[in-house]
Amino acid sequence: MSNSLTTARPRDARSEPLWLKLLLIAASLGFIGFMLVLPLVSVFAEALAKGFAPYFAAITDPDALSAIRLTLLVAAIAVPCNLAFGLCAAWAIAKFDFRGKSLLVTLIDLPFSVSPVISGLIYVLLFGIHGWLGPTLDHYGIKIIFTTSGLVLATIFVTFPFIARELIPLMQEQGNEEEEAAISLGAGGFQTFLRVTLPNVAWGLLYGVLLCNARAMGEFGAVSVVSGHIRGLTNTMPLHVEILYNEYDFIGAFAVASLLALLALVTLVVKSLLEWKFGDRLAAGIKH
Amino acid sequence: MAIKLSGITKTFGNYQALRGIDLQIKKGEFLALLGPSGSGKTTLLRVLAGLDFPDEGRLIFDGSDVQHTTARERRVGFVFQHYALFRHMTVAENVAFGLKVRPRHERPAKAEIQSRVSELLRLVQLEKFGNRYPTQLSGGQRQRIALARALAIEPKVLLLDEPFGALDAKVRKDLRRWLRQLHDEMGLTSIFVTHDQEEALELADQVAVMSEGRIEQIGTPDQVYHSPATPFVFEFLGHANRLPCVITGDQAKIGSITVPVQNISTTRELAGVAFVRPHDISLHPVAGMTTLPVRIRHMFTAGPGVRLELQRLDAEGILIADLSHEQVQRGGFAVGQAVAAELVLVSAFPAS
């Protein structure tokens, strides 16, 4: 009796055999390695192919510097705007019931489903010289397309959903009780928002801002349509990379691209840190 | 604070939560709103707090109409079923919240806020917990902090929404006794929502039994238990043995016997239902003129007494009787035995 129990190890119905586990892990790592790590490494490899001197020359080139500055400027405007819009939208959707609520939620997701090129085209159609509002604005000396304003608008459109989508489920799950408690204790609307609602969503907000920023800095398609591609003036970093590459300045192109890759890596690290420290709070959203 | 509600009606979409509520609460009273889920008791509490607004009706606090004041202005202390403590603030910050958000000219000095917080924490016996976070507390502790927080603003009335619903039985019993003590010591006016009739009967000065948006009866615990106004109230407050009967005058004919009825008097003969509480049935070994023949179907020890399931022998129906251990021993009752059941106190209501 005891023999049959000790010789055969019972198979745990919930776990796979070892060989299958190893195969799956190897396949996943292989895929990630080939599709993600290899290209990333090759960016840095190509950028430093001729040593550090050409690398630094490329990234300190005046046009490159102005592209970096423009990228930072566009992000610096787009992200706070989306922060404000996202907070308002999430607050309205999560805490209130009103007609057209589901329409609003659908509209918020729109930039995700629209191709970035189309997103840019929208603004050309609106504000371009043959567009709906273009001639009127031009009359008042306001130019949108081919200027920084156009870049900012296109970037705002494309990165709008990130913060809102992060906050909406978070706020919905948190419910209204704490806010009602605050009101019954005598807090006004704004006080409640500042002291109760905002601190509760702080980590989700940070997470959303991080994603929004990464996308804002890296956006290519929408921005490309709206920009005039004027070197040194209306080129963000992704656009600048394209120009350099088209001129066969591979060192230059990869050098600027490596800065974007660096940004991606930093974003990833900070994101992982946030998840590691506050993962349970972010995912379920609330009860920590 | 004295409160008067008249004709309060509230509808959510197609659903009528409150259908014309009239209620008066005296200063210093402890009122229980008792009813099953969906009866409208929480909605009524929220209307009192200003968290929901009625479609019709008048709401008067101490003589002034408060219909158009907001929750912020009404100075009511609200205690939620799931505590609603501010999760990112410490216990002390939670309790101090109501004082810190007052407009500048009303706000007490920092030192005074601190001393008030300490005093309240001492009151709820959680002085050493000031620096903890809500997640580090047990359910009972959290509810005490929620209470301290509500009391910090010196509310005119304390509103509690099933405050012990999320706690286990022992903690619930201890806390509710402590709450009543606090109410008496501080001279509060409190309104307490619960679906637990034992809790309502133990704590309240007045009980308002609610069903489907209406108040079925308001009275002292004794009144609603012993003189229920409707079958609903009778059945909600304890087990009800129901026996079909015919009511004439102040007597009810059940099967072959006639018993006096304590709550009703009719001028003509009415078909009705007689209600008897399990402890208002006494058993005799031998049948008599005023007893019903029954057989003991099942018997089990229910804590301090014995619960017997009795099968009626003269008609369809099972009766539940509660006897003490001594009574069972003295009578020598056993399962399967045919005995006689005497209905000591009977209420009857016309069948409708």
Side-chain angles (χ1 to χ4, degrees):
Chain A
M1 217 34 179
S2 52
N3 276 341
S4 62
L5 283 174
T6 49
T7 45
R9 270 192 56 201
R11 178 98 80 83
D12 184 347
R14 287 168 301 165
S15 86
E16 288 78 33
L18 188 61
W19 65 266
L20 188 57
K21 284 189 200 171
L22 289 174
L23 184 64
L24 286 173
I25 292 173
S28 316
L29 285 178
F31 185 83
I32 293 174
F34 186 69
M35 298 297 283
L36 297 180
V37 175
L38 204 59
L40 218 55
V41 166
S42 69
V43 168
F44 287 100
E46 283 290 332
L48 296 166
K50 297 221 170 83
F52 272 102
Y55 179 84
F56 279 122
I59 60 178
T60 50
D61 170 70
D63 290 336
L65 284 177
S66 103
I68 293 170
R69 244 175 302 163
L70 190 59
T71 301
L72 291 174
L73 178 68
V74 168
I77 301 175
V79 172
C81 279
N82 282 334
L83 181 60
F85 297 154
L87 258 177
C88 293
W91 191 68
I93 289 169
K95 311 282 181 189
F96 299 94
D97 268 318
F98 52 92
R99 287 183 63 185
K101 182 156 105 161
S102 32
L103 182 64
L104 182 60
V105 176
T106 313
L107 284 178
I108 289 176
D109 272 347
L110 197 67
F112 270 174
S113 49
V114 171
S115 156
V117 172
I118 306 297
S119 312
L121 195 61
I122 294 172
Y123 288 96
V124 175
L125 290 174
L126 267 180
F127 300 112
I129 205 69
H130 301 292
W132 290 1
L133 304 172
T136 325
L137 289 174
D138 193 48
H139 180 70
Y140 290 101
I142 302 175
K143 293 192 194 307
I144 306 276
I145 304 300
F146 306 145
T147 67
T148 310
S149 327
L151 296 176
V152 170
L153 283 176
T155 307
I156 288 179
F157 181 89
V158 163
T159 59
F160 181 75
F162 285 100
I163 295 178
R165 277 170 61 104
E166 194 60 41
L167 290 179
I168 291 174
L170 188 56
M171 283 184 163
Q172 277 178 328
E173 243 212 296
Q174 289 179 345
N176 286 348
E177 275 207 343
E178 284 191 34
E179 279 80 5
E180 285 185 341
I183 291 177
S184 74
L185 289 166
F190 192 61
Q191 274 179 319
T192 305
F193 182 75
L194 220 54
R195 288 171 178 258
V196 178
T197 316
L198 215 51
N200 278 346
V201 296
W203 293 110
L205 201 63
L206 198 58
Y207 198 80
V209 164
L210 209 62
L211 296 177
C212 182
N213 180 61
R215 182 63 195 275
M217 290 193 174
E219 176 57 29
F220 179 77
V223 164
S224 175
V225 174
V226 168
S227 156
H229 296 270
I230 304 170
R231 196 189 305 247
L233 263 186
T234 59
N235 269 341
T236 58
M237 280 161 74
L239 297 176
H240 195 60
V241 169
E242 188 197 24
I243 285 189
L244 292 176
Y245 191 80
N246 285 340
E247 292 176 345
Y248 303 100
D249 180 2
F250 297 132
I251 301 290
F254 279 106
V256 180
S258 74
L259 290 178
L260 286 171
L262 221 59
L263 167 71
L265 287 173
V266 168
T267 303
L268 212 65
V269 167
V270 179
K271 182 173 161 298
S272 303
L273 267 171
L274 280 179
E275 277 174 342
W276 174 63
K277 267 211 104 187
F278 307 100
D280 44 348
R281 287 192 221 177
L282 287 173
I286 17 56
K287 323 262 183 246
H288 53 258
Chain B
M1 178 176 72
I3 301 177
K4 183 160 184 245
L5 295 138
S6 30
I8 299 285
T9 306
K10 176 78 188 169
T11 312
F12 290 107
N14 287 334
Y15 174 66
Q16 255 208 312
L18 296 172
R19 303 165 197 255
I21 301 283
D22 296 307
L23 188 59
Q24 272 195 334
I25 301 149
K26 292 196 275 283
K27 181 162 152 49
E29 197 167 74
F30 194 114
L31 172 80
L33 293 176
L34 176 66
S37 3
S39 54
K41 50 195 200 296
T42 298
T43 309
L44 187 56
L45 202 73
R46 289 171 60 92
V47 162
L48 280 164
L51 296 172
D52 273 327
F53 290 90
D55 301 321
E56 280 167 37
R58 297 187 64 211
L59 185 56
I60 300 172
F61 283 12
D62 267 341
S64 18
D65 200 319
V66 294
Q67 222 108 305
H68 302 290
T69 58
T70 62
R72 185 186 187 191
E73 296 160 340
R74 290 193 199 181
R75 267 188 60 198
V76 296
F78 202 102
V79 179
F80 293 80
Q81 185 175 0
H82 297 286
Y83 331 121
L85 293 176
F86 305 125
R87 66 191 106 224
H88 63 282
M89 296 187 201
T90 62
V91 159
E93 288 167 345
N94 260 280
V95 176
F97 186 85
L99 297 170
K100 285 203 198 150
V101 294
R102 285 207 185 146
R104 196 134 288 176
H105 59 271
E106 278 180 35
R107 202 183 306 166
K110 246 188 178 171
E112 200 195 315
I113 295 184
Q114 243 180 351
S115 77
R116 287 242 238 147
V117 168
S118 311
E119 200 186 299
L120 283 160
L121 287 179
R122 219 174 311 128
L123 190 67
V124 299
Q125 291 153 10
L126 289 170
E127 310 101 306
K128 304 226 171 66
F129 289 71
N131 286 323
R132 300 232 189 140
Y133 283 88
T135 45
Q136 297 169 305
L137 303 177
S138 73
Q141 290 168 333
R142 285 186 214 182
Q143 199 53 292
R144 282 188 274 160
I145 296 300
L147 192 59
R149 182 178 68 174
L151 291 172
I153 58 168
E154 290 174 326
K156 300 193 251 182
V157 61
L158 192 62
L159 304 174
L160 306 111
D161 185 3
E162 304 210 41
F164 308 132
L167 303 169
D168 46 76
K170 173 102 187 9
V171 178
R172 207 184 314 185
K173 288 209 167 89
D174 291 337
L175 273 184
R176 71 191 191 204
R177 241 170 270 136
W178 172 81
L179 174 69
R180 177 71 218 218
Q181 230 181 323
L182 205 68
H183 165 95
D184 293 330
E185 279 170 13
M186 295 185 70
L188 302 165
T189 306
S190 308
I191 302 171
F192 179 93
V193 159
T194 181
H195 61 268
D196 183 349
Q197 39 95 341
E198 199 187 294
E199 206 164 68
L201 295 176
E202 182 183 326
L203 296 181
D205 296 320
Q206 292 274 313
V207 177
V209 183
M210 290 185 69
S211 163
E212 294 185 348
R214 271 184 262 265
I215 295 185
E216 297 258 332
Q217 185 178 3
I218 311 177
T220 63
D222 194 59
Q223 284 172 334
V224 295
Y225 188 77
H226 287 121
S227 317
T230 68
F232 176 85
V233 176
F234 196 104
E235 287 185 302
F236 195 79
L237 289 194
H239 184 84
N241 288 304
R242 314 179 83 211
L243 302 104
C245 66
V246 176
I247 313 171
T248 318
D250 58 356
Q251 308 267 319
K253 189 162 192 296
I254 305 169
S256 55
I257 64 167
T258 302
V259 289
V261 169
Q262 57 111 359
N263 67 317
I264 196 177
S265 191
T266 65
T267 46
R268 53 192 175 93
E269 227 178 60
L270 283 174
V273 183
F275 287 77
V276 189
R277 294 247 182 252
H279 57 257
D280 286 332
I281 296 180
S282 73
L283 289 187
H284 304 280
V286 187
M289 290 298 294
T290 55
T291 63
L292 289 171
V294 295
R295 181 193 311 282
I296 300 177
R297 219 171 81 143
H298 185 48
M299 227 164 72
F300 65 93
T301 304
V306 182
R307 184 153 271 208
L308 296 97
E309 264 180 44
L310 307 165
Q311 174 82 54
R312 279 180 74 176
L313 294 174
D314 64 331
E316 284 293 311
I318 307 265
L319 300 177
I320 305 285
D322 284 336
L323 265 57
S324 68
H325 291 282
E326 297 78 41
Q327 286 171 314
V328 171
Q329 270 186 339
R330 242 185 302 127
F333 300 122
V335 178
Q337 197 179 349
V339 291
E342 183 190 346
L343 310 175
V344 177
L345 191 65
V346 179
S347 303
F349 299 98
S352 54

